[in-house]
Amino acid sequence: MSRAHNFSAGPAALPETVLQQAQAEMLEWHGAGASIVELSHRGPEFIQVAAEAEADLRKLLSIPDSYAVLFLGGGATTVQALLPLNFAAPGQAADYVVTGHWGKTALKQVKPYVAANVAASSEAEGFRDIPARDTWGLSKDAAYVHYTANETIHGVEFRDIPDVGDIPLFGDFSSSIASEPLDVSKFGVIYAGAQKNLGPVGITVVIIRRDLLERAGQPRAEILDYRAHAKGESMLNTPPSWNWYLLGLTVKWMLAEGGVEEFARRSARKSTLLYDVIDNSGGFYRNEVAKAARSRMNVPFFLHDEALDKPFLKEAGAAGLISLKGHRALGGMRASIYNAMPEAGVQALADFMRDFQQRNG
Ligand SMILES: *Cc1c(COP(=O)(O)O)cnc(C)c1O
């Protein structure tokens, strides 16, 4: 077996010890006579797994009791469509700040339901920066303001929580949750598909300030209703139990590694290593994002000559560095360096990049 350093943007690398534990418990979970994925989600075994995952996640992210935490299927995209149904009255405006591909996706999902207002967008400039807060055109009676904390494809990350006054702030943290301390109390909703930084694909975490669950929203079936999900402890129907279990193992690993403060330090070191190689390459490599808005999680970069893309990927793969091809929307390369990516992996990539430049520059 040879596991490479995997820079996939999502589904992304999981900590090796998590995979090993899941492997060891695959056939029989803790003397239960069956795998956890073969047991009822209402049985004592899975209830324990689910409760521990929630308690651990609350601890990891310092989530106050005044927030509900939901574990649901459907991915972050489904959350984007359900936000207006749950939190905006018919006809009410909702404000969107668009700083990349996922902000646009979020906007697309809500258009059938609300009068979505683009409060700010950096699209005309190619999503290379974050529009200054004082240029945002917020609606007076918006149901909420939505933004994408880290744009996974464009590599643009907010380094501060935007101040939007009394309007509830909704943040898509799919690709940066648990990468640094976060004041949850500043938010109405925080959500994240797990497959970037929290565990496996197939489960999504939605953190909701409880008072917002009392909003009437729009007519919707119970299964699309977050209040019902909160009341039913994310088990209105069969939850993605295997994914929930893997998420729980991943969160336990993050706590054991030192929690979000430690991952903030590692993320700063890892991203600096790559941006330094890029910035010191004399134009051989290029990242086009404004420095203050550069992502610590996803580092997109281009080679000065597109003809080098193929050899770069091929030689990187041979050196045990995989999944570096950029998103098709942007081209070039992208190194996703979430919590599970060890610093040694990023160092190996930085060394490879310098060596590749030396041989091809
Ligand atoms: C991956 C991603 C999404 C989409 O997640 P799905 O689980 O595929 O729906 C949304 N927002 C951000 C920031 C992402 O990185």
Side-chain angles (χ1 to χ4, degrees), residues 240-310:
S241 55
W242 175 251
N243 317 55
W244 199 332
Y245 155 79
L246 274 180
L247 181 149
L249 294 186
T250 309
V251 171
K252 272 196 200 304
W253 173 81
M254 290 187 199
L255 286 169
E257 290 289 305
V260 290
E261 289 83 4
E262 173 60 16
F263 284 108
R265 288 189 285 271
R266 291 184 195 175
S267 296
R269 288 196 296 265
K270 289 190 293 184
S271 55
T272 300
L273 204 55
L274 292 185
Y275 288 121
D276 280 353
V277 171
I278 294 165
D279 292 344
N280 296 328
S281 71
F284 187 86
Y285 301 110
R286 163 176 110 252
N287 169 280
E288 300 179 340
V289 177
K291 283 198 175 154
R294 281 176 167 180
S295 169
R296 299 161 308 124
M297 299 282 110
N298 310 95
V299 180
F301 61 94
F302 303 89
L303 280 76
H304 74 102
D305 177 1
E306 261 179 48
L308 290 172
D309 285 3
K310 270 209 174 114

Side-chain angles (χ1 to χ4, degrees), residues 85-101:
L85 284 181
N86 280 273
F87 303 114
Q92 193 177 12
D95 286 347
Y96 279 76
V97 177
V98 182
T99 53
H101 172 92

Side-chain angles (χ1 to χ4, degrees), residues 9-10 74-78 80 102-103 105 148-153 172-175 191-196 201-204 298 338:
T77 311
T78 301
Q80 293 173 342
W102 292 112
T105 307
T148 313
N150 180 62
E151 281 287 354
T152 319
I153 294 172
D172 178 356
F173 277 79
S174 291
S175 50
Y191 66 96
Q195 70 269 29
K196 279 73 181 238
V201 65
I203 190 157
T204 308
N298 310 95
Y338 304 120

Side-chain angles (χ1 to χ4, degrees), residues 46-118:
F46 187 73
I47 295 287
Q48 182 192 329
V49 166
E52 261 182 50
E54 178 172 341
D56 287 340
L57 187 67
R58 282 184 179 277
K59 190 166 160 202
L60 180 71
L61 302 178
S62 305
I63 303 171
D65 288 340
S66 51
Y67 286 73
V69 181
L70 307 182
F71 296 86
L72 304 172
T77 311
T78 301
V79 177
Q80 293 173 342
L82 293 182
L83 292 175
L85 284 181
N86 280 273
F87 303 114
Q92 193 177 12
D95 286 347
Y96 279 76
V97 177
V98 182
T99 53
H101 172 92
W102 292 112
K104 271 180 83 170
T105 307
L107 189 64
K108 195 165 86 185
Q109 301 308 321
V110 305
K111 284 216 161 126
Y113 308 118
V114 292
N117 164 47
V118 179

Side-chain angles (χ1 to χ4, degrees), residues 317-345:
L321 307 164
I322 65 169
S323 310
L324 285 162
K325 192 175 188 329
H327 190 274
R328 57 193 171 347
L330 270 191
M333 307 296 150
R334 174 175 47 167
S336 296
I337 49 175
Y338 304 120
N339 288 0
M341 169 58 66
E343 295 191 70

Side-chain angles (χ1 to χ4, degrees), residues 98-100 104 107 118 120-129 131 154:
V98 182
T99 53
K104 271 180 83 170
L107 189 64
V118 179
S121 170
S122 53
E123 185 165 19
E125 294 81 41
F127 293 132
R128 293 188 181 93
D129 204 351
H154 289 88

